[in-house]
Amino acid sequence: MFSRTAILASVSLCSLLSAVAAEAQTAPGNQPDGTTPAVQPSSASPAGTVAEDDEIVVTGVRASILGALNIKRNSTQVVDSIVAEDVGKLPDNNVIEALQRVSGIQVTNRTGGEAAGISIRGLPDALTTMNGRNIFTASGQAFALADIPANLVKRIDVYKTRAADQIETGIAGQIDVFTRRPFDFDGFAISGVARGIYNEQADSFNPNVSALISNRWETGIGDIGVLVSGSYSRTKFRDMSVTSGAMVPFVTENPPPGYTPLQRVFPETGAWEPGRERGLPTAAGSTFLLDGRQVPYYLSRDAVFSPDVSGTRERPAVNAAVQWSPNNSSTYTAEFFWNQFSATTQNSLFFSFVDWWGGLGANPKSTFELYPGTNIIKARSVGDVYGFNSGDYTRSKTNSYIYALNGDWKVGDNGRITADLSYQNSQFDTQFLAMRIDRVAKRIDVDFNTRNGIPAYNFDNNALLTDPTQWNVGEFYDNANRSKGDAITLHLDGENKWDDGFLRRVKAGIRIDDRNATDSVRSQDARGLGRRLSTLDPGLQLTNKNFFDGRASVPTSWLVPNGSYIYDNVDAIRQLYKGSVAPNFKLSDQLALTDVFDINEITMTAYAMADGQITLFGRPLDVQAGIRYVDVDTDFVFTDRYNGTVSRASNGTSRFLPSATLRYAITDDVRLRFNYGETLRRPAFGDLNPNPNLVGDLTGVGRGSGGSGNPNLRPTTSRNYDLSAEWFFERNSAIYATLFRREIDGLVVPLTSLLVIPGTGLNTDRFAVTRPENASNGVLKGLELGLTYFPTYLPSLLDGFGFQGSLTLLDSQQNIPISDQTGQIVGETESGFFGVSDLSYNATLAYEKGGLGARLSYVWRKPFLANNEARLFANPIGVWRRAESSLDFQLTWGITDRLGLTLDAVNLTNQTQQNYYRFQDAGNSEQFNLGTTLLSRTFAVGVRFALD
């Protein structure tokens, strides 16, 4: 393997370097595709150079929008960017929130007081890089972009297409985050940002501060620059949700012999099979075969529940860089980046079954109401109902370090060689502790959808929910995980350029990456103590208040075990269970993590590419073509966490990935681009582990659940086509459109089998285990439209107004295999991709005048398929999200050239996050509503100082 890569790289580099001539200076800061970002708007001459008479210097909000437009204009690839308004001023709380205004970007998972999930054109697996280097978190394949402090970011580039010199992974594209370096400044620079952010839902004020100091000197040994920047943010958040549970069948009020009215029918009767794509039929009078006869049934939810999650999240980060340029032909850069993520959360979970058909206490019967024309129960009253509350406490911390050395040498008139050596290390630790309390209530009254997908549920006496004498001490869960990853990576690149003739640039290089990843786990569970909560230390009691802000008719307060108390007294809690119901329970000095997988992956790549230019109808046609060779060897060691069995495996892959781009300047202001490229997505390391991770039967469905990996997974590959047109119709304005198509082979989809696994120590031996398979192919296609418009004809008071917006249309289709309970594929259906909204758009109205800068931004996306439900119930399998939106506002006021004030607001319209069950035409958001989560509004005020 190494010899093939080395030979290819040697031939490429030798052919390149043989063309290099005498020494000359080349501008630093090139893009990964070889272009240099412009700082001012420009028009391209026939040779593709920047016309100096088009220069215009702007600052603030307008400068950031136009800077991004210039990068798009001058890049060979299809790229969109976010540019910081100034030092320390990317106008958002984190990188993901900044990217939501880029065309083709769809943002989701807005809980926890911030956006956390991102996809490019509907695909979630974007390659994450920092200053061009691949970065990751712990044992994952990507970096948590939300963990990068926005205050430290200079620019973010989003590549929708790829060239041969870019890292090959991530079929969605590449997100490259740039931090600042000392040579970005002419001399001394210092800046600081301090913001206070109010989280309305948590009623908390949170700090977000950053500072940067940089200087450069001319010395006897050349130019030297030093930069240090740091950031710290803390967020106290609260997420509140109300949820109607999954659907299961019940006999009617006129049951067959041997059944009680409204008795639940379990799958073991053979009457129905859980997990069908469309769920059970919902027409009035629908029947199934029960005990040899056709019996009508009703469909109803099995439970209602309400998570109330309060947490604190902290993110400190430090970035440092030293640059040395001993002469005009060489620059050396040493960089260090550290960031930490730490979080503590308490989930005060309320859970109640609503499926009991037994004794009804003072109630003569169980009442119910159907949705008209269906067999679906809309509302019901249930007596003697079992429920539990749980205090789920999680503490987690990530530390990630990146160390890098870079050399940049100009060789000859137009030659350049760069070498980059980096080492990174990341570790994620988490501990989860949970204690349950349970009781049987006399009655619960439920309406599964009172309005707009929000249910209502109340007990005969809600006040008893906070009475510790009513609650028994239930199960205890004690788990911990550790994920570690490190990598050492070498890049070596060389290029040469020419000013005329067809051949304008040749470039070649190699990349060698040695990656290690380890996951370790431990877990122990214990059954209930069989005593009242009131008999234990009162410090164990925690009562939440003002749940759901009065926006639903549900209990607003209930009692749970206090996770913080459990964490501080964990060995005393363990001893409590050990002494009564779990004699094998271990204490802290006996606990140890088991390495469930240990993976080493060596990747060697080599590429060669060339840029050419010809004249077509009197206008320049730029051609870029290249090929990248990838060779990956992966070795695994897996350990079964339940029996200690160790297994070993290995696999490898090698591919040639071609790419080609045509860029044609029809006029100075109109450009066409066409790109073809091939990319791949490697399996997540956790998806390769064949040993199952199991969860017991937590809700009485007759089986537990779990997941396992598949060491035979192969990379998912994609053939990508892009055709774009851009019209720069005014100096500060442009309209663009891109048609694209992704033909994807080997998509990973989950297949579920019902397995009997004894000896796990859990409360069942039956588990529905889901594993990944390369069992699907798909096509994703779409259209992006974008407009940036700063009119030049407005009267003086209004001439600072501008608009930036984009619209994305997506269409996705993949084949989904259907498996039986043994895991055998028995059929096939079709579905859209997960996370893909058919339509999304964003619009930003910007204003910049006399030191005042403002943005009003709105983003919206159509309902989309988020995931498939566990195959345990009778509802449609797909979990869909309702349409999502956010209206945000940012204001800056430059009191002086160096001092400014800021005001920011996120989610001004107080949107919620909602989901529901649907598969094709089965299911909807009204009768199949699932959960509703309140999303926080945040308001921030800040001050910024900058001297550069």
Side-chain angles (χ1 to χ4, degrees):
M1 176 190 67
F2 177 79
S3 60
R4 296 199 301 270
T5 307
I7 290 171
L8 179 59
S10 300
V11 171
S12 301
L13 287 173
C14 288
S15 62
L16 168 67
L17 297 179
S18 64
V20 174
E23 189 172 309
Q25 182 175 356
T26 302
N30 284 1
Q31 300 291 316
D33 64 0
T35 62
T36 303
V39 216
Q40 295 91 19
S42 59
S43 292
S45 67
T49 58
V50 176
E52 294 182 359
D53 58 357
D54 276 346
E55 290 186 1
I56 177 171
V57 177
V58 292
T59 59
V61 171
R62 189 174 178 184
S64 68
I65 294 175
L66 298 184
L69 185 63
N70 288 325
I71 293 171
K72 183 179 189 69
R73 178 173 191 161
N74 289 282
S75 174
T76 303
Q77 302 302 313
V78 178
V79 60
D80 289 285
S81 300
I82 295 288
V83 178
E85 293 177 17
D86 211 332
V87 180
K89 187 76 178 80
L90 192 73
D92 295 275
N93 293 327
N94 67 41
V95 166
I96 290 179
E97 290 181 356
L99 288 169
Q100 67 184 334
R101 286 182 291 278
V102 171
S103 63
I105 294 288
Q106 295 179 335
V107 165
T108 187
N109 299 335
R110 297 177 182 270
T111 56
E114 65 179 13
I118 190 169
S119 64
I120 303 176
R121 295 172 171 174
L123 297 172
D125 69 320
L127 167 68
T128 53
T129 55
M130 179 180 287
N131 299 318
R133 304 180 186 102
N134 188 14
I135 55 175
F136 55 81
T137 300
S139 62
Q141 298 280 36
F143 193 82
L145 288 171
D147 291 348
I148 299 179
N151 292 341
L152 301 188
V153 173
K154 171 185 175 183
R155 186 179 85 245
I156 309 167
D157 290 342
V158 180
Y159 287 90
K160 279 66 172 298
T161 62
R162 303 288 189 85
D165 61 344
Q166 292 175 267
I167 300 172
E168 67 282 348
T169 56
I171 59 177
Q174 177 183 353
I175 299 175
D176 198 2
V177 180
F178 291 88
T179 56
R180 295 190 179 270
R181 292 171 173 173
F183 283 3
D184 292 341
F185 306 96
D186 293 330
F188 179 73
I190 185 171
S191 70
V193 177
R195 301 169 67 219
I197 303 174
Y198 176 69
N199 185 300
E200 185 179 49
Q201 203 159 280
D203 192 22
S204 64
F205 289 92
N206 304 285
N208 186 310
V209 296
S210 67
L212 175 148
I213 185 168
S214 178
N215 205 356
R216 60 186 296 178
W217 305 267
E218 293 182 6
T219 72
I221 59 172
D223 284 358
I224 295 178
V226 178
L227 177 148
V228 177
S229 59
S231 175
Y232 172 79
S233 65
R234 187 200 68 204
T235 302
K236 292 184 177 180
F237 60 90
R238 186 182 186 186
D239 292 330
M240 296 177 282
S241 306
V242 292
T243 303
S244 299
M247 284 184 172
V248 291
F250 297 77
V251 295
T252 68
E253 67 274 29
N254 299 306
Y259 286 84
T260 301
L262 296 182
Q263 182 173 340
R264 179 171 172 172
V265 180
F266 288 90
E268 286 73 16
T269 62
W272 64 287
E273 181 181 340
R276 294 165 58 178
E277 271 67 20
R278 301 174 60 87
L280 289 180
T282 61
S286 294
T287 64
F288 50 33
L289 187 64
L290 178 63
D291 294 341
R293 67 177 69 184
Q294 288 294 326
V295 173
Y297 62 86
Y298 293 141
L299 289 171
S300 182
R301 311 306 179 98
D302 66 338
V304 289
F305 56 96
S306 295
D308 185 359
V309 182
S310 297
T312 300
R313 179 176 58 245
E314 294 181 283
R315 287 191 176 107
V318 173
N319 180 59
V322 177
Q323 288 187 286
W324 173 41
S325 184
N327 50 51
N328 289 336
S329 62
S330 59
T331 300
Y332 303 91
T333 303
E335 291 182 287
F336 166 77
F337 180 80
W338 164 75
N339 80 289
Q340 183 185 90
F341 167 87
S342 60
T344 301
T345 62
Q346 162 86 35
N347 181 7
S348 300
L349 174 65
F350 157 87
F351 185 101
S352 178
F353 284 104
V354 291
D355 63 347
W356 180 233
W357 56 92
L360 300 176
N363 298 313
K365 63 179 180 178
S366 176
T367 62
F368 65 94
E369 172 191 350
L370 298 176
Y371 286 104
T374 76
N375 65 357
I376 303 174
I377 292 179
K378 179 182 185 296
R380 67 184 304 186
S381 175
V382 181
D384 292 343
V385 62
Y386 173 80
F388 67 83
N389 293 349
S390 185
D392 300 348
Y393 187 78
T394 305
R395 291 175 70 99
S396 56
K397 179 180 287 188
T398 303
N399 278 288
S400 298
Y401 302 85
I402 302 172
Y403 310 85
L405 293 173
N406 180 276
D408 188 338
W409 301 274
K410 289 83 179 181
V411 184
D413 291 334
N414 297 296
R416 181 181 181 187
I417 297 175
T418 60
D420 192 275
L421 178 66
S422 63
Y423 172 75
Q424 55 183 312
N425 179 281
S426 180
Q427 179 169 315
F428 172 72
D429 291 277
T430 183
Q431 183 174 3
F432 173 79
L433 300 166
M435 179 185 286
R436 287 183 175 180
I437 53 176
D438 59 20
R439 69 168 191 151
V440 174
K442 289 183 179 179
R443 190 185 78 249
I444 187 172
D445 301 302
V446 184
D447 187 327
F448 295 109
N449 188 359
T450 56
R451 55 179 177 82
N452 198 32
I454 300 177
Y457 35 88
N458 290 279
F459 294 92
D460 60 303
N461 185 355
N462 284 347
L464 297 181
L465 290 170
T466 60
D467 183 356
T469 65
Q470 299 293 313
W471 293 94
N472 300 309
V473 180
E475 298 88 347
F476 182 61
Y477 302 93
D478 180 8
N479 306 325
N481 297 73
R482 175 177 298 147
S483 298
K484 297 191 295 184
D486 65 77
I488 184 167
T489 309
L490 172 66
H491 290 257
L492 181 63
D493 303 271
E495 66 176 327
N496 195 63
K497 296 180 179 180
W498 293 268
D499 295 329
D500 49 29
F502 168 72
L503 191 62
R504 297 302 177 92
R505 182 178 69 141
V506 292
K507 187 177 182 183
I510 61 172
R511 177 177 181 267
I512 302 173
D513 180 80
D514 188 346
R515 174 78 198 277
N516 297 289
T518 304
D519 265 14
S520 308
V521 301
R522 68 162 181 82
S523 64
Q524 55 181 358
D525 305 339
R527 59 185 177 85
L529 284 179
R531 57 188 294 185
R532 295 290 184 180
L533 180 63
S534 56
T535 65
L536 300 180
D537 189 329
L540 190 58
Q541 301 171 20
L542 177 68
T543 302
N544 66 340
K545 298 184 184 302
N546 303 318
F547 176 75
F548 221 69
D549 293 343
R551 295 169 69 175
S553 178
V554 296
T556 60
S557 185
W558 56 82
L559 191 66
V560 296
N562 187 333
S564 179
Y565 176 93
I566 295 172
Y567 180 84
D568 293 337
N569 302 274
V570 64
D571 271 339
I573 299 295
R574 290 168 179 155
Q575 187 63 57
L576 183 67
Y577 281 86
K578 181 180 178 68
S580 59
V581 296
N584 295 324
F585 232 53
K586 297 179 180 178
L587 305 182
S588 295
D589 59 352
Q590 302 168 307
L591 292 171
L593 296 171
T594 299
D595 293 343
V596 292
F597 73 72
D598 190 343
I599 292 178
N600 173 252
E601 184 171 86
I602 296 178
T603 303
M604 296 187 181
T605 57
Y607 73 89
M609 60 186 293
D611 291 52
Q613 188 180 90
I614 62 174
T615 300
L616 183 63
F617 304 116
R619 304 296 303 171
L621 172 63
D622 297 304
V623 181
Q624 183 183 90
I627 191 164
R628 189 175 185 92
Y629 175 73
V630 182
D631 196 310
V632 183
D633 275 351
T634 310
D635 295 318
F636 324 95
V637 178
F638 301 119
T639 302
D640 190 315
R641 60 188 299 187
Y642 300 105
N643 58 33
T645 302
V646 176
S647 58
R648 301 177 184 273
S650 63
N651 64 28
T653 183
S654 59
R655 292 186 65 91
F656 285 96
L657 302 172
S659 62
T661 301
L662 302 177
R663 184 178 66 175
Y664 182 55
I666 297 177
T667 70
D668 286 351
D669 299 321
V670 179
R671 291 184 178 179
L672 296 177
R673 304 172 199 259
F674 172 76
N675 175 271
Y676 171 80
E678 296 183 13
T679 51
L680 57 83
R681 172 200 298 164
R682 292 191 195 130
F685 290 138
D687 286 344
L688 299 172
N689 184 1
N691 298 314
N693 181 18
L694 304 174
V695 178
D697 182 4
L698 301 182
T699 55
V701 296
R703 68 196 71 180
S705 60
S708 70
N710 179 357
N712 296 317
L713 284 179
R714 57 182 174 86
T716 300
T717 58
S718 178
R719 294 183 297 275
N720 313 315
Y721 306 84
D722 289 78
L723 176 64
S724 68
E726 301 154 8
W727 177 28
F728 298 86
F729 57 90
E730 288 189 7
R731 175 173 293 178
N732 303 331
S733 304
I735 187 169
Y736 59 88
T738 303
L739 289 167
F740 55 88
R741 180 182 176 90
R742 305 285 183 264
E743 298 174 354
I744 306 173
D745 177 69
L747 283 164
V748 175
V749 294
L751 297 181
T752 302
S753 305
L754 184 60
L755 303 178
V756 176
I757 306 175
T760 64
L762 300 174
N763 62 349
T764 181
D765 289 342
R766 292 164 52 83
F767 299 91
V769 178
T770 301
R771 71 185 189 280
E773 295 279 357
N774 293 107
S776 175
N777 299 320
V779 173
L780 173 71
K781 55 188 177 181
L783 168 67
E784 290 178 4
L785 297 172
L787 171 66
T788 299
Y789 185 36
F790 280 87
T792 57
Y793 51 80
L794 296 177
S796 59
L797 183 63
L798 302 177
D799 66 3
F801 274 108
F803 173 83
Q804 181 187 41
S806 67
L807 179 145
T808 304
L809 299 171
L810 293 171
D811 180 40
S812 64
Q813 203 70 33
Q814 64 175 326
N815 62 299
I816 301 292
I818 301 173
S819 60
D820 61 20
Q821 293 195 3
T822 67
Q824 299 298 311
I825 296 176
V826 295
E828 184 177 277
T829 186
E830 289 188 345
S831 170
F833 286 10
F834 294 132
V836 173
S837 290
D838 295 343
L839 171 64
S840 63
Y841 64 84
N842 63 77
T844 297
L845 183 65
Y847 181 76
E848 183 82 29
K849 186 76 172 180
L852 184 68
R855 301 178 196 229
L856 183 65
S857 303
Y858 182 74
V859 297
W860 182 90
R861 65 181 301 187
K862 194 176 176 181
F864 61 95
L865 174 62
N867 60 277
N868 280 342
E869 174 69 281
R871 294 179 181 269
L872 301 173
F873 306 106
N875 42 256
I877 196 70
V879 177
W880 280 68
R881 289 270 185 89
R882 283 195 173 194
E884 297 183 345
S885 64
S886 181
L887 179 65
D888 307 331
F889 177 71
Q890 291 123 8
L891 176 69
T892 61
W893 175 35
I895 301 174
T896 70
D897 291 341
R898 299 178 179 176
L899 184 66
L901 298 179
T902 65
L903 172 66
D904 307 277
V906 176
N907 189 25
L908 281 169
T909 53
N910 213 15
Q911 295 297 304
T912 60
Q913 178 177 291
Q914 295 184 288
N915 50 20
Y916 58 95
Y917 292 118
R918 175 187 158 193
F919 185 85
Q920 296 177 354
D921 61 345
N924 53 63
S925 60
E926 294 302 318
Q927 298 164 335
F928 295 83
N929 59 301
L930 185 52
T932 299
T933 300
L934 302 185
L935 300 177
S936 289
R937 286 191 293 196
T938 63
F939 304 90
V941 293
V943 60
R944 176 186 171 275
F945 171 81
L947 172 63
D948 55 63

